[in-house]
Amino acid sequence: MTELFQARTVREARELLAAHLGPEAGAEEASLPEALGRRLARAVAAVDEVPGFARSTVDGFAVRAKDTFGASESMPAYLDLTGEVLMGRESVGQLAPGQAWLIPTGGMLPTGADAVVMVEHTEELDRRTVGVNSPVASGDNVVRAGEDMMPGALLLPRGHLLRPQDLGLLAAAGVTEVFVARRARVGIISSGDEVVEPTRQPGPGQVRDVNSYVLYGQALAAGARPELLGIVGDNFELLLTTLRRALDQCDLVLISGGSSVGVRDVAAEALNTLGAPGVLFHGISIKPGKPTVGAVVNGKPVFGLPGHPVSAAVVFELFVTPLLKYWSYPDRLPEFPVRARLLRNMRSAAGREDFIRVKLAVADGEITAEPILGKSGLISTLVRADGLAYIPAEKEGVEAGELIGVKLF
Amino acid sequence: MTELFQARTVREARELLAAHLGPEAGAEEASLPEALGRRLARAVAAVDEVPGFARSTVDGFAVRAKDTFGASESMPAYLDLTGEVLMGRESVGQLAPGQAWLIPTGGMLPTGADAVVMVEHTEELDRRTVGVNSPVASGDNVVRAGEDMMPGALLLPRGHLLRPQDLGLLAAAGVTEVFVARRARVGIISSGDEVVEPTRQPGPGQVRDVNSYVLYGQALAAGARPELLGIVGDNFELLLTTLRRALDQCDLVLISGGSSVGVRDVAAEALNTLGAPGVLFHGISIKPGKPTVGAVVNGKPVFGLPGHPVSAAVVFELFVTPLLKYWSYPDRLPEFPVRARLLRNMRSAAGREDFIRVKLAVADGEITAEPILGKSGLISTLVRADGLAYIPAEKEGVEAGELIGVKLF
């Protein structure tokens, strides 16, 4: 059965998944602290001007800019000191021509003033006169009313992933509750007759479950709510029951293991039984990670991940992380943005995208990448790595000294 | 008072803080899911060999490698098919010369076998004979016993920040509870008579609290447990009481605002009152972020951050994030690892490190960085940015077309 499926490129596999994906998990209201790292389910617009008044950005003197034209160290402009702005208070009164008011950083510009002279460029001659040594233009050292946001302006679009600064913008706008996507529940299943819980001492032929914990960590790091659903033996009925339960309670399901051809086919058959469209691809032209099954069952993505932990982790990075963050595969920025100089030749087959574990260092102000060699079944190789380097499909390898794109862990 | 302090470079300021820092927050036991993103408080060593037996990495036939020497498509090596390895079971019996056993991926190699031939390189002639078309060397397609870890090997050192793959390594080693540093409690205070809660409509001269929410998000993203301690007016006694309470209940304290010179001095005086060594520096040679106070009070770091939200966020990235992640300032990898081509000339003063908000895009397979201009009091500028670009102190600017290091948000 496997042989009937053609291995897909990363782009093709993503397009297939995106085309069959159901709507994202429902939305819920969240306070700003709860909303970090989640997608806005509704766009947010500004109601008020922010700031609501012109503010000084420095400690100094509010002035009419034209009163300072031509001022210099040798020919200061002398202004009458007739007022003082207090923090958090309305600046009542009017600054008349030839006058200056003392103003602190963040203070409200008095009516009549259109600029602030930094205290460093002034000299207080006496309590009633200030000398300005350097001219200012209208608007200098001032944030205008509405300069940060204007009423009605789109602050953040629907789908925006909220970062710390976005929380600040929302607070500035007076928005303290937002509608965000629920954290996706990710069901994690390990399969294989050889796999035992990490708390158990493996017998001959047995190994402890590694993938569940790597995938759990990756899902958590991507902002999801992972749930460990245990280990299932290589049994069709058991697999079917477990997958059905996982699909009932989760938004996305991962089943890893079943590395051997027969077992993968069983998982694929189970997925086709559970709902439409079922399996979308069976095999991706990547290394490691080729024996991956991608499915959508009633709108929910399900991945049959390879049993080798490095392979499963790479496929998660490429296919699951973007879904959990964006519920789509956005294409705005490169996924491997760090440029590093490869320290050793690496071969790669043309027509296959390769992902190399690398250890990074700095030499002569440049980042170097030392490949971590070793089988994809060895989790220790992924632990020794700082990131994944990428070799595109059209290359047959990368030579030592070439620059290569890296995604940091 | 400010003028008595010399502005420090980033490196000097970090060294001062590191030299006076107390021990990290205590350790506690955590399950693997709870341990993600936290530092190991004790090193972890392996107890057993992992895997505990030689495993096949492919579906195929376990063989003695020497029986396949010289095999080819035209001259296959014919071997007697005398056994089958079952997943999760001990392979009982002995593979004799001239024999092959069917073995699935992950299966235990039988005694006598030292390699596996991939099924793709074989041909089953009948139920008792398999033809091998391609030779294997000893160890081919096999993970040796102990190849992932050996008893006694250091798996992860003390202080290691646990990533998803590290949880997998620990699970493989049978370690399901680890001692990790407690999440640092970060107390966040906003100061200034002009600052009001985001839920309130600001009056004339007032602005909503932005910094508390940006800093909350940054602390959470760095793995800490932030606590919003509210807004304090520009009043020495109130400031002192609030800081004392914050230092009692938190491991690190941030007080932002008080942008004007006088207020900063008051905060500094309060910190010197509360414990030794108190204020370590007052001003850093960076833009934005210069008016920063760094202190250590009885071993706990306290930062007086600028009131401008962009400045506060930049100082947090440079000084607080590393402390929360590592409780130190590690120096292994560059902090601005992404190389982008700057799209416009940017000036910078020599002797000052500059951090530029940039919007990134991809053009001709290269990352470009468009500076987001605008005052550091405007949170919207930080929202429009994808990252921070860095101009080192020795440069007086960067020209359009130059490559520049960027840290992504």
Side-chain angles (χ1 to χ4, degrees), chain B residues 183-402:
Chain B
R183 292 190 186 281
R185 287 157 307 180
V186 176
I188 299 171
I189 306 166
S190 267
S191 78
D193 287 333
E194 78 283 20
V195 183
V196 301
E197 293 287 350
T199 44
R200 281 184 50 193
Q201 185 66 38
Q206 297 183 327
V207 292
R208 295 194 180 99
D209 182 14
V210 171
N211 286 355
S212 284
Y213 296 87
V214 180
L215 300 172
Y216 188 101
Q218 290 182 295
L220 209 57
R225 250 173 56 195
E227 293 174 28
L228 295 178
L229 302 179
I231 301 163
V232 187
D234 294 331
N235 171 301
F236 181 78
E237 285 306 324
L238 212 57
L239 210 61
L240 194 66
T241 314
T242 308
L243 280 170
R244 179 176 291 128
R245 187 163 58 90
L247 280 161
D248 278 351
Q249 71 190 63
C250 298
D251 304 301
L252 183 151
V253 176
L254 306 174
I255 175 162
S256 78
S259 315
S260 70
V261 174
V263 178
R264 276 206 306 281
D265 289 347
V266 168
E269 199 185 325
L271 289 171
N272 282 332
T273 308
L274 286 166
V279 173
L280 298 171
F281 57 86
H282 201 140
I284 313 173
S285 315
I286 57 175
K287 183 182 178 183
K290 182 169 188 287
T292 294
V293 173
V296 171
V297 176
N298 305 331
K300 296 181 177 181
V302 184
F303 293 90
L305 301 175
H308 292 164
V310 178
S311 314
V314 167
V315 174
F316 188 106
E317 272 302 303
L318 291 175
F319 288 93
V320 186
T321 293
L323 283 188
L324 295 181
K325 285 191 169 168
Y326 307 105
W327 205 246
S328 67
Y329 294 105
D331 201 16
R332 199 171 80 76
L333 290 179
E335 294 181 70
F336 299 84
V338 174
R339 303 287 277 177
R341 206 167 286 285
L342 198 66
L343 293 182
R344 134 199 329 248
N345 298 344
M346 291 297 294
R347 268 194 245 158
S348 162
R352 187 183 75 194
E353 294 173 78
D354 275 30
F355 304 91
I356 305 169
R357 289 148 276 176
V358 288
K359 181 150 196 68
L360 302 179
V362 177
D364 302 327
E366 200 178 60
I367 306 178
T368 60
E370 171 75 34
I372 307 271
L373 307 173
K375 306 180 180 85
S376 61
L378 303 176
I379 182 67
S380 56
T381 61
L382 203 59
V383 166
R384 269 152 48 213
D386 299 310
L388 275 185
Y390 173 64
I391 306 182
E394 62 273 19
K395 297 204 80 163
E396 292 190 14
V398 185
E399 290 188 22
E402 275 192 69

Side-chain angles (χ1 to χ4, degrees), chain A residues 69-199:
Chain A
F69 285 178
S72 67
E73 296 261 353
S74 54
M75 284 281 280
Y78 293 107
L79 301 174
D80 292 337
L81 190 47
T82 57
E84 176 173 359
V85 174
L86 298 177
M87 286 306 284
R89 304 288 182 78
E90 184 165 10
S91 299
V92 182
Q94 168 103 13
L95 183 138
Q99 294 185 343
W101 287 29
L102 193 62
I103 190 168
T105 304
M108 177 177 182
L109 235 64
T111 311
D114 65 348
V116 177
V117 182
M118 290 175 75
V119 71
E120 291 86 336
H121 298 148
T122 65
E123 207 176 344
E124 270 187 82
L125 295 189
D126 54 49
R127 293 179 165 243
R128 297 177 53 189
T129 316
V130 62
V132 173
N133 299 329
S134 180
V136 284
S138 180
D140 275 4
N141 301 317
V142 171
V143 167
R144 295 188 316 278
E147 190 168 344
D148 217 0
M149 59 188 87
M150 290 296 281
L154 175 70
L155 292 183
L156 296 168
R158 183 172 186 280
H160 184 81
L161 193 70
L162 294 170
R163 304 161 299 167
Q165 60 262 54
D166 302 320
L167 302 190
L169 186 78
L170 292 167
V175 178
T176 55
E177 298 276 332
V178 282
F179 275 90
V180 290
R182 275 201 297 103
R183 293 190 187 280
R185 287 156 307 181
V186 175
I188 299 171
I189 306 165
S190 267
S191 78
D193 287 333
E194 79 281 22
V195 183
V196 301
E197 294 287 352
T199 44

